[in-house]
Amino acid sequence: MGGWSVFVTCCVWAILLVALFGDSLASAPEFDPYKVLGVSRHASQAEIKKVYKRLAREWHPDKNKSPGAEDMFIKITKSYEILSNEERRANYDRFGQMDENQNFARAPQGFRHYHDSFYFDESFFHFPRTSRDFTDSKHLLHYNQYMNEVLPDSFKRPYLIKITSEWCFTCIHIEPIWKDTVLELEPLGIGIGVVDIGYERQLANHLGAHRTPSILGLINGKVTFFHYAVVREHLRQFVESLLPQKLVEKVTDSSYLEYLNSWHEENKPRVLMFDVASNIPLLYKLTAFAYKDYVRFGYVDMGLTETSEVVQRFNINTYAPTMLLFKENTDKPADVIQARGMKKQILDEFVSNNRFLLVPRLVNQKLFDELCPVKQFHRRRKYCVLLVTGEGEQFVSVNEAFFDFASSNTKEVLRFAYVYQRQQQPLCDTLLKKDDTTPPQVILLERRSATGRVLYRTVTGGWNGSDDDKHRLHEQLEILQRDPSYLTHDAMLPELNNEFASMFLIQWMNTAYDYLAQFYFDLLYSNWREMMPVLSLIFSALFILFGTVIIQAFSDAGEDKPAKQKATDSPKTAESSPGQESTSSRPPKKNFVEVTELTDITYMSNLVRLKPGHINVVLILTDASKQVLLRKFAKEVYSFSGSQTLHYSFLNVDKHSQWMDSLMEAAPDARPSDCLDEEEEEEESTSNKSDYTGHVLALNGHKKYFCIFRPVFTGEEAECSRWSDEDAASKASRSRSSSRQKATTLEIHHKLDRLGLWMERLMEGTLPRHYVSSWPGLDTITPQK
């Protein structure tokens, strides 16, 4: 009996094992991606991609209505996921594929033989299986797709993205809620995405997602993580919170007139939606976000007593949502739509067809490109009728007459617009210079290339808004539509100025506020791993900022001490040896002008080899007058120091006394004519040396000419010559030795009083020029006495 019982027990176990695993071992299907796609194991990526596209089009459930089309499409998609990834394809070729969701690359080495020899049926133990359904497969995102399509599209609509993986058992719990949320939000226009963290590690790292499951929102290129319980209502509120706060303005009886009349400042049509709901519908907010660059949106809650006047004003039916779109005429809507169930397609078509005013103002290049597109072929010609006008009261009647004419236009081939000359000066100068006309003018133009080439013609007779002007414009438009060669002028238009660029600061402040709010939100939930890049950037910026401030503080302290000491000692050393004075190699501060000494070392670079178009302004001085003249010289030329073509130097005649005489001999026309008597001329001839102290030369080294400034003399000398060159030269030569000894600081200081006026004439190019055949050398140094 004991042996029989053992035999019966073995048989029972055998039957149980066959019942449990026999079907699985016999019927375990082999999933072969090569067979599904019909390619060989040596097929290239290009061949696999080509076959995948063909099969995906053939078996897509939207086109193929056969019962097994959806299952076949999923198999094709999974096969392509395996074979398009080199790592997964190598794993399949090496280990084989028993379960399409298995990741062989990460299987423990000690259990590899176990997996190869034993088929594990997880359904027997009721393990959840995370096979991807058709909904997730349709929304799968890849890195290139995200960067090229999803990221730019996030500036028009928000995205809700789920981060998952094949072996994420927790993801099973949120799948029903995720599917219901997708079915609710996707028809409203919200983008949906799914990222498999196992296959798209690069995209997951780019998004900052490091765990599964995760849900995040994307809008305007910014990623925001969802931190609440996964409930459909929470997900809906999360998407709504991504949208800008002031996207839709709530309008009441006290504000609707101001709202409608502000179309001129923003250059946008206005939309008013009437509905009996305290909260603005999400569909309406999404539409406002998609067209925020074109249309301004407002909302009227008809359930409030504060809106009864506006509802009665436009005779709104309170039983169905109504949308009114206003353009230039705020008394009557340009378009109306009313329906109980507003759909995204209806709203998009309604707003898109009315996104421009009847006569919009050209405020930036983007609007110009959309309003007056480049000609593609003959049947799609678009002629732009452009009014060049002004903003003053004298242009009001002219502009209104143009608007009246444009409102009667029914031809799609004509687009009307206007531009303010003061705001778009380069554009107006290009269009008006041919006929030498002034605003207001009407110009007919056709764009021929995206680079700015246009054909245009100015309407003859100008534009004053009279009936004759309207009749003349109508006739010329008729001629243009019959004969495109009527546009006779050709020009390259510059890019339009962005008239709303001043609002950039406000936009930047709003963006900064959003980032600070997100930073606080992440800090509240201790999401440190996602915050590390932001924290690293902030601390790096603070370190650089404080480091720069500290270094600058120490460098300024080091520079101030020598400067103060030098300023204190300068009166005492004014008559000391010239070797103590040197020009600093540091760049000058804002309240200084860099003036270098003209020596035999710097002579070639500062004069002889000076760049074409550059001028060196040289001050002539002596050791005794150096301090006073340099201060006065720097003060007079400071307002011209911003020019990149002017350089400043000084020449010490105590060191190079012969250079000025040689220069005057090379340019005889530069010598002053005499206004003195014959006795003074004889005295000048006997004393061959002239006093050039306070003279200033503008030297053009390339063209070999110079302009000369002769100083203003003070005291007794002022009676003879002030600004004339001849008096200055003769009087200085007559009393050179005595004036050097008797001249006071005040007298020397006033020699450069008119240098600023002379510099203005130099910049204007009205000074006389004295040409030389070659520049005299600066080799000889006068011995010090």
Side-chain angles (χ1 to χ4, degrees):
M1 286 296 293
W4 177 253
S5 62
V6 172
F7 175 75
V8 172
T9 302
C10 292
C11 291
V12 170
W13 276 108
I15 294 172
L16 288 174
L17 289 174
V18 171
L20 292 175
F21 300 108
D23 292 340
S24 299
L25 293 170
S27 61
E30 284 193 21
F31 177 78
D32 190 347
Y34 292 103
K35 290 182 179 179
V36 173
L37 296 181
V39 296
S40 65
R41 289 183 173 270
H42 304 288
S44 63
Q45 288 293 337
E47 295 175 358
I48 294 173
K49 186 175 182 180
K50 182 178 180 181
V51 173
Y52 166 71
K53 287 185 176 181
R54 176 176 57 82
L55 294 176
R57 285 194 298 267
E58 178 182 352
W59 291 97
H60 197 282
D62 293 342
K63 296 183 179 180
N64 194 325
K65 301 302 181 181
S66 60
E70 183 174 337
D71 294 337
M72 186 61 185
F73 181 78
I74 294 175
K75 289 182 179 180
I76 292 170
T77 304
K78 292 178 179 179
S79 300
Y80 179 71
E81 289 177 2
I82 295 173
L83 299 184
S84 61
N85 188 300
E86 294 294 343
E87 182 180 357
R88 299 193 68 202
R89 184 179 181 181
N91 290 334
Y92 177 82
D93 293 339
R94 184 177 180 183
F95 303 111
Q97 182 76 7
M98 292 174 294
D99 186 351
E100 61 269 25
N101 297 317
Q102 189 173 338
N103 193 340
F104 294 95
R106 299 179 182 178
Q109 298 293 329
F111 294 94
R112 183 179 300 166
H113 177 73
Y114 170 78
H115 279 285
D116 290 342
S117 59
F118 181 73
Y119 180 77
F120 184 73
D121 188 1
E122 62 182 24
S123 62
F124 175 72
F125 296 95
H126 304 285
F127 282 174
R129 185 175 176 182
T130 60
S131 59
R132 191 177 297 118
D133 60 7
F134 175 71
T135 304
D136 279 359
S137 299
K138 183 175 65 173
H139 298 123
L140 276 176
L141 295 180
H142 305 285
Y143 181 78
N144 292 334
Q145 177 190 4
Y146 173 84
M147 298 300 295
N148 299 328
E149 299 176 12
V150 175
L151 193 61
D153 194 41
S154 68
F155 290 86
K156 296 181 180 179
R157 61 171 178 165
Y159 273 78
L160 192 64
I161 301 175
K162 180 181 70 172
I163 309 298
T164 185
S165 64
E166 289 185 341
W167 287 101
C168 172
F169 298 114
T170 314
C171 301
I172 299 298
H173 301 291
I174 68 172
E175 279 302 316
I177 302 172
W178 173 259
K179 289 181 181 179
D180 293 341
T181 304
V182 170
L183 293 176
E184 178 188 0
L185 298 182
E186 193 172 20
L188 301 180
I190 297 174
I192 304 297
V194 176
V195 177
D196 192 322
I197 201 172
Y199 303 143
E200 290 295 333
R201 176 65 62 178
Q202 183 181 8
L203 177 55
N205 291 335
H206 178 79
L207 295 173
H210 306 287
R211 62 176 181 268
T212 57
S214 294
I215 296 177
L216 56 90
L218 175 69
I219 189 170
N220 289 332
K222 175 191 171 186
V223 176
T224 305
F225 279 83
F226 176 76
H227 296 286
Y228 300 99
V230 182
V231 181
R232 188 170 66 174
E233 186 61 29
H234 289 174
L235 290 173
R236 180 187 177 93
Q237 293 174 1
F238 171 68
V239 172
E240 196 165 356
S241 67
L242 297 175
L243 298 170
Q245 296 297 323
K246 298 182 179 179
L247 195 60
V248 180
E249 180 180 349
K250 288 194 173 183
V251 180
T252 61
D253 295 340
S254 60
S255 62
Y256 79 95
L257 288 177
E258 180 183 358
Y259 170 78
L260 294 177
N261 291 324
S262 60
W263 65 268
H264 189 270
E265 289 76 12
E266 295 189 18
N267 197 41
K268 295 178 182 179
R270 331 297 280 179
V271 171
L272 271 180
M273 181 177 185
F274 296 81
D275 198 359
V276 185
S278 57
N279 295 325
I280 303 173
L282 179 58
L283 176 61
Y284 190 58
K285 288 185 177 181
L286 294 172
T287 306
F289 179 75
Y291 295 95
K292 61 182 181 298
D293 295 333
Y294 303 97
V295 181
R296 189 78 172 99
F297 291 81
Y299 179 75
V300 178
D301 182 5
M302 294 188 293
L304 300 176
T305 57
E306 294 84 355
T307 60
S308 57
E309 180 183 340
V310 63
V311 173
Q312 185 178 0
R313 165 76 183 275
F314 298 107
N315 194 21
I316 303 299
N317 184 356
T318 58
Y319 297 100
T322 305
M323 291 184 68
L324 306 183
L325 188 139
F326 296 85
K327 294 188 178 182
E328 286 87 348
N329 186 1
T330 58
D331 295 328
K332 181 180 179 181
D335 202 352
V336 180
I337 183 175
Q338 187 176 41
R340 289 188 177 276
M342 289 285 188
K343 301 295 184 182
K344 178 182 182 300
Q345 183 178 1
I346 298 175
L347 292 182
D348 287 344
E349 183 178 357
F350 175 75
V351 178
S352 178
N353 292 337
N354 297 281
R355 67 182 186 274
F356 298 121
L357 296 169
L358 292 176
V359 186
R361 185 173 83 252
L362 297 184
V363 294
N364 52 45
Q365 187 65 34
K366 179 183 177 182
L367 179 60
F368 187 35
D369 293 338
E370 295 192 36
L371 194 65
C372 302
V374 178
K375 171 200 170 185
Q376 297 178 348
F377 43 85
H378 180 74
R379 292 187 177 181
R380 289 192 180 180
R381 286 180 181 271
K382 298 291 183 184
Y383 297 111
C384 196
V385 185
L386 183 63
L387 172 65
V388 179
T389 182
E391 305 176 56
E393 294 183 359
Q394 66 272 24
F395 296 100
V396 173
S397 60
V398 174
N399 298 342
E400 290 179 352
F402 185 75
F403 297 156
D404 293 340
F405 181 87
S407 60
S408 62
N409 172 63
T410 57
K411 297 180 180 180
E412 183 64 24
V413 71
L414 299 178
R415 298 288 179 86
F416 290 82
Y418 71 100
V419 61
Y420 287 147
Q421 184 186 27
R422 186 176 63 87
Q423 300 287 351
Q424 303 292 342
Q425 191 71 42
L427 173 71
C428 297
D429 291 345
T430 304
L431 294 175
L432 298 178
K433 69 179 181 180
K434 287 281 186 182
D435 300 323
D436 194 19
T437 55
T438 57
Q441 295 290 335
V442 176
I443 298 174
L444 312 179
L445 64 87
E446 179 186 17
R447 300 185 65 194
R448 288 303 183 94
S449 70
T451 57
R453 180 174 175 265
V454 297
L455 296 178
Y456 72 97
R457 183 188 184 101
T458 304
V459 175
T460 56
W463 179 263
N464 295 318
S466 63
D467 293 338
D468 293 338
D469 292 342
K470 294 180 181 179
H471 181 69
R472 192 184 308 111
L473 176 58
H474 178 75
E475 288 181 346
Q476 296 187 34
L477 288 175
E478 292 293 333
I479 297 174
L480 175 61
Q481 294 175 68
R482 293 194 303 267
D483 182 14
S485 62
Y486 184 67
L487 303 179
T488 56
H489 297 323
D490 191 349
M492 290 293 294
L493 297 184
E495 184 173 351
L496 270 68
N497 301 325
N498 186 3
E499 297 183 14
F500 294 147
S502 58
M503 300 178 63
F504 171 77
L505 179 61
I506 299 176
Q507 297 175 0
W508 182 86
M509 293 176 63
N510 292 334
T511 304
Y513 172 78
D514 292 340
Y515 275 102
L516 289 176
Q518 181 63 30
F519 177 79
Y520 172 76
F521 192 76
D522 291 338
L523 184 65
L524 184 64
Y525 285 91
S526 302
N527 195 1
W528 296 106
R529 188 169 186 177
E530 297 167 5
M531 290 172 56
M532 283 304 296
V534 179
L535 292 174
S536 176
L537 179 63
I538 293 175
F539 282 110
S540 299
L542 292 176
F543 177 78
I544 295 173
L545 177 62
F546 283 107
T548 305
V549 171
I550 292 172
I551 294 174
Q552 186 66 27
F554 278 105
S555 62
D556 289 347
E559 291 177 1
D560 289 344
K561 291 180 180 179
K564 292 180 180 178
Q565 183 178 358
K566 184 176 180 180
T568 305
D569 299 341
S570 59
K572 300 180 181 180
T573 60
E575 299 182 359
S576 60
S577 63
Q580 296 176 359
E581 304 292 339
S582 61
T583 304
S584 175
S585 60
R586 290 178 178 269
K589 293 187 177 181
K590 292 182 178 180
N591 56 343
F592 279 85
V593 178
E594 183 177 6
V595 183
T596 59
E597 183 175 2
L598 203 63
T599 64
D600 53 347
I601 299 176
T602 62
Y603 184 71
M604 295 297 291
S605 60
N606 288 3
L607 177 59
V608 180
R609 296 178 182 175
L610 203 61
K611 295 180 180 179
H614 288 236
I615 293 178
N616 195 353
V617 181
V618 181
L619 169 67
I620 309 300
L621 49 76
T622 61
D623 289 338
S625 61
K626 183 176 181 180
Q627 292 290 335
V628 178
L629 287 181
L630 277 179
R631 291 194 188 97
K632 180 66 174 178
F633 179 71
K635 180 180 179 180
E636 292 291 329
V637 302
Y638 173 72
S639 59
F640 304 92
S641 60
S643 174
Q644 300 295 325
T645 59
L646 292 182
H647 310 273
Y648 303 98
S649 304
F650 69 89
L651 179 70
N652 193 334
V653 292
D654 287 342
K655 298 180 182 179
H656 308 284
S657 60
Q658 300 178 1
W659 187 84
M660 279 295 294
D661 294 332
S662 302
L663 181 65
M664 293 302 171
E665 291 177 1
D669 58 331
R671 287 182 172 276
S673 60
D674 243 339
C675 72
L676 307 176
D677 52 16
E678 295 179 356
E679 295 178 0
E680 291 174 337
E681 290 180 356
E682 292 177 359
E683 186 178 353
E684 180 183 358
S685 62
T686 57
S687 102
N688 292 325
K689 295 183 179 180
S690 300
D691 184 9
Y692 296 107
T693 305
H695 285 61
V696 179
L697 304 175
L699 307 175
N700 190 317
H702 180 69
K703 293 188 176 181
K704 296 180 182 178
Y705 72 80
F706 66 92
C707 305
I708 186 169
F709 166 81
R710 294 179 173 85
V712 176
F713 286 89
T714 59
E716 297 177 355
E717 296 171 336
E719 298 176 358
C720 180
S721 77
R722 294 191 57 170
W723 184 251
S724 61
D725 301 335
E726 58 273 13
D727 293 350
S730 59
K731 184 65 69 176
S733 63
R734 186 183 64 176
S735 58
R736 176 176 177 272
S737 59
S738 61
S739 63
R740 179 176 296 182
Q741 296 173 358
K742 298 179 180 180
T744 64
T745 302
L746 181 62
E747 293 172 345
I748 298 175
H749 173 80
H750 283 290
K751 286 190 174 185
L752 301 180
D753 278 350
R754 297 181 179 241
L755 181 60
L757 299 175
W758 183 83
M759 288 293 296
E760 291 182 2
R761 294 184 60 192
L762 174 65
M763 299 299 292
E764 295 171 358
T766 59
L767 292 175
R769 300 178 179 180
H770 311 291
Y771 289 86
V772 296
S773 58
S774 62
W775 296 109
L778 200 68
D779 300 333
T780 305
I781 300 179
T782 304
Q784 296 291 327
K785 295 182 180 180

